[in-house]
Amino acid sequence: MLAFPAPGQAWLAWIALVPGLLLMQRAPSGREAAVRGWWFGAGFILTAMYWLVPSVGPGLPVIAVLFGALQGAVGYTVHRLLHPPLTTRRALLALLVVPAVWVCAEYARSWHALGGPWALLGATQWQHPAILGLAAAGGIWLVSAAVAAVNTGVLIALTAAHRRPRAVAAAVAVLVLASGPLLFSLREAPAGAGAVTVALVQPGIVADPQARFEASARATAGLAGQPVDLVVWGESSTTADLDHDPAALDVLRGLAATTGAQVVAGEDARKADGRISKDAVLVSPAGVVDRYRKIRLVPFGEYIPLRPVLGWIAGVSRAAGENRAPGTGFHLLPATDRTGAPLPVGALICFESAFPDMARTAARDGARVLVYQSSTSTFQHTWAPEQHVSLAAIRAAETGRPAVQASLTGVSAAFDAQGRELGRLGTDRTGALTVRLPLTAPGTLTWYDRIGDVVPVGALLVTAGAAVAAGVSRRRSGRAAGRAAGQASAQASGRASAQMSAETSAPEL
């Protein structure tokens, strides 16, 4: 966890798995190795998401144990392929199969109904755009696979008895480390595609909804006279239903007219049907242009899965008192810049920044900028805000689109199309952050935009193939052992028969 935000010691990620992998490698049996992998994973989840305790209370250890079970497959694989004495063939297989199994485990727990892809191993490299060149090719999954492969190589180099497997592991680790910078150098952002100026509004810790709205409005009014193309407010920056609250809407319309820029407000309001939803609302001087309703809600934070069974958690924590209403689908917001030129925006809300497929959909639909609205005030003095903002950098690198995140209480930040940070407001600051974002040419797509989740699919195939091969090998070994036992039994029986025959034919004395 020291490799993740906020500690941010990214270099540790390349060796931090080695002690755990060593415990799995030296387990007395495959079953024990799987158990060690399970608790390795459970401890990681518990540490990575400790800040969820106010939201889920005693449910967090249960979540950690359930998700940790996925890492049991990693433990078994490490023991199966890397137990001493280690051969070159098994070392090569491990360098392929162990990262594949790791990615499968991350992919499985990334299903949004289980909580989503938070604290993936590749996210440790969010501040290193050269490494994120891998993300542009295969998404965050390829970065995770690379980090797992290097850790596996280090383990082999440290524990193999013979020189050849150590040399092979070292060579593979070096090649993997070099692949990210190589891909990064091949995808420089195209020049001449223009730029836009985006203002991110961060009102600070304001408990009262009206005071929060007014603080955001004051910060926005201060942008008057600046060449701003788009103003982005944080998640839940207004609790007014802008379709039915003319006073709140008039304030936003006036701000759009004063600044000359459209405003993307975060609406967290009870609708006419009585349900609460979270929307990103695009407002111009003429009124509401369009809105996007959040479709992937935060488990326990915005809804409680299986509420009839698990609803008791709301009584012992800050879990959602009632379920928010999700949207029905994603679409771009048809924003324009201050000259009236189209500036289609992929606006996603808070937790949705964790999902690679949503940003990829926005890029393929033609988004020029990814906009994330956030509110992590519940977790203000934890690692959560830094973990959250790191995801915007990764989504930018994956899609080749600049990305911004506006948060009520921080961190608000902006990243270019390769994930490089252009500016930020930390959790100790308020106001408006104005950033100039270089744009990529319309229609530009990264490899990941084009091919999607090929890496996890490939990892699933490799894992399945390895499992089948292991099963076949065990059956062959069982049959060979059976034949050997049969031959030994037959030989023993023959010797006994010969001895009995000799005793029978011997003359009596």
Side-chain angles (χ1 to χ4, degrees):
M1 275 312 303
L2 294 178
F4 283 83
Q9 301 301 312
W11 64 273
L12 271 176
W14 303 97
I15 58 173
L17 301 183
V18 172
L21 298 179
L22 181 62
L23 288 173
M24 301 170 205
Q25 178 197 38
R26 297 307 173 97
S29 67
R31 180 178 179 179
E32 173 63 22
V35 171
R36 294 182 183 188
W38 183 350
W39 292 114
F40 179 84
F44 169 72
I45 295 296
L46 192 64
T47 309
M49 302 181 185
Y50 77 94
W51 42 267
L52 281 175
V53 169
S55 296
V56 300
L60 182 59
V62 177
I63 293 170
V65 169
L66 291 176
F67 283 167
L70 295 170
Q71 297 292 345
V74 175
Y76 180 82
T77 303
V78 169
H79 181 270
R80 173 87 180 178
L81 293 177
L82 296 180
H83 66 272
L86 182 60
T87 64
T88 303
R89 177 177 175 274
R90 283 198 285 114
L92 283 170
L93 283 173
L95 289 165
L96 174 65
V97 178
V98 172
V101 176
W102 184 280
V103 169
C104 286
E106 289 194 336
Y107 195 57
R109 71 177 173 87
S110 296
W111 183 34
H112 67 90
L114 293 179
W118 200 276
L120 303 184
L121 188 58
T124 58
Q125 305 305 304
W126 74 281
Q127 290 181 306
H128 298 277
I131 301 297
L132 292 183
L134 293 168
I140 187 66
W141 316 111
L142 188 56
V143 187
S144 285
V147 176
V150 171
N151 275 273
T152 305
V154 172
L155 176 69
I156 294 170
L158 291 175
T159 61
H162 301 291
R163 182 179 301 174
R164 188 173 179 184
R166 292 201 305 268
V168 167
V172 170
V174 170
L175 288 174
V176 170
L177 284 169
S179 60
L182 175 62
L183 291 170
F184 177 81
S185 68
L186 296 175
R187 62 174 294 261
E188 287 294 334
V196 294
T197 301
V198 177
L200 309 176
V201 175
Q202 183 169 302
I205 301 176
V206 181
D208 178 71
Q210 184 60 33
R212 183 166 65 235
F213 181 84
E214 292 172 357
S216 298
R218 285 194 300 271
T220 304
L223 299 170
Q226 299 183 34
V228 177
D229 293 289
L230 186 68
V231 178
V232 182
W233 286 16
E235 177 190 20
S236 305
S237 49
T238 178
T239 56
D241 181 356
L242 296 176
D243 288 333
H244 298 92
D245 191 327
L249 179 59
D250 284 346
V251 172
L252 288 166
R253 291 174 59 195
L255 291 170
T258 300
T259 61
Q262 294 178 331
V263 179
V264 181
E267 182 188 276
D268 186 358
R270 191 174 296 278
K271 299 300 184 180
D273 62 2
R275 303 187 68 187
I276 301 175
S277 65
K278 290 194 174 184
D279 297 7
V281 186
L282 179 65
V283 180
S284 74
V288 174
V289 178
D290 199 0
R291 63 172 61 235
Y292 160 71
R293 180 162 297 170
K294 187 176 186 179
I295 60 176
R296 293 187 181 169
L297 304 178
V298 181
F300 300 99
E302 292 169 340
Y303 78 102
I304 295 181
L306 302 174
R307 182 175 284 275
V309 178
L310 302 177
W312 60 270
I313 293 178
V316 296
S317 69
R318 299 177 187 171
E322 63 178 292
N323 290 352
R324 296 296 198 269
T328 57
F330 172 77
H331 67 275
L332 301 182
L333 295 182
T336 58
D337 64 18
R338 64 180 179 272
T339 68
L343 182 64
V345 166
L348 296 163
I349 301 173
C350 199
F351 180 57
E352 293 178 328
S353 68
F355 294 92
D357 65 301
M358 297 193 72
R360 177 174 171 264
T361 297
R364 290 177 64 87
D365 287 350
R368 302 296 301 279
V369 179
L370 300 178
V371 169
Y372 295 108
Q373 296 177 308
S374 172
S375 173
T376 53
S377 55
T378 303
F379 316 110
Q380 187 71 3
H381 302 292
T382 71
W383 293 348
E386 289 290 347
Q387 288 182 12
H388 194 193
V389 77
S390 69
L391 301 175
I394 296 167
R395 302 291 88 86
E398 286 175 336
T399 61
R401 300 289 187 281
V404 298
Q405 174 172 296
S407 179
L408 292 182
T409 58
V411 177
S412 298
F415 304 91
D416 72 4
Q418 292 176 307
R420 293 176 289 205
E421 188 174 289
L422 303 177
R424 71 160 43 203
L425 285 177
T427 55
D428 58 342
R429 296 180 60 190
T430 61
L433 172 67
T434 304
V435 183
R436 187 76 169 164
L437 298 177
L439 297 176
T440 52
T444 300
L445 296 175
T446 64
W447 291 349
Y448 179 67
D449 291 333
R450 297 176 188 276
I451 65 177
D453 291 338
V454 167
V455 172
V457 171
L460 288 169
L461 293 175
V462 169
T463 301
V468 170
V472 170
S473 176
R474 282 195 299 270
R475 286 196 297 271
R476 288 177 177 174
S477 298
R479 286 197 295 267
R483 286 196 297 270
Q487 291 173 357
S489 177
Q491 291 173 356
S493 177
R495 287 194 297 269
S497 297
Q499 183 177 357
M500 290 177 62
S501 175
E503 291 174 352
T504 302
S505 58
E508 292 184 355
L509 296 179

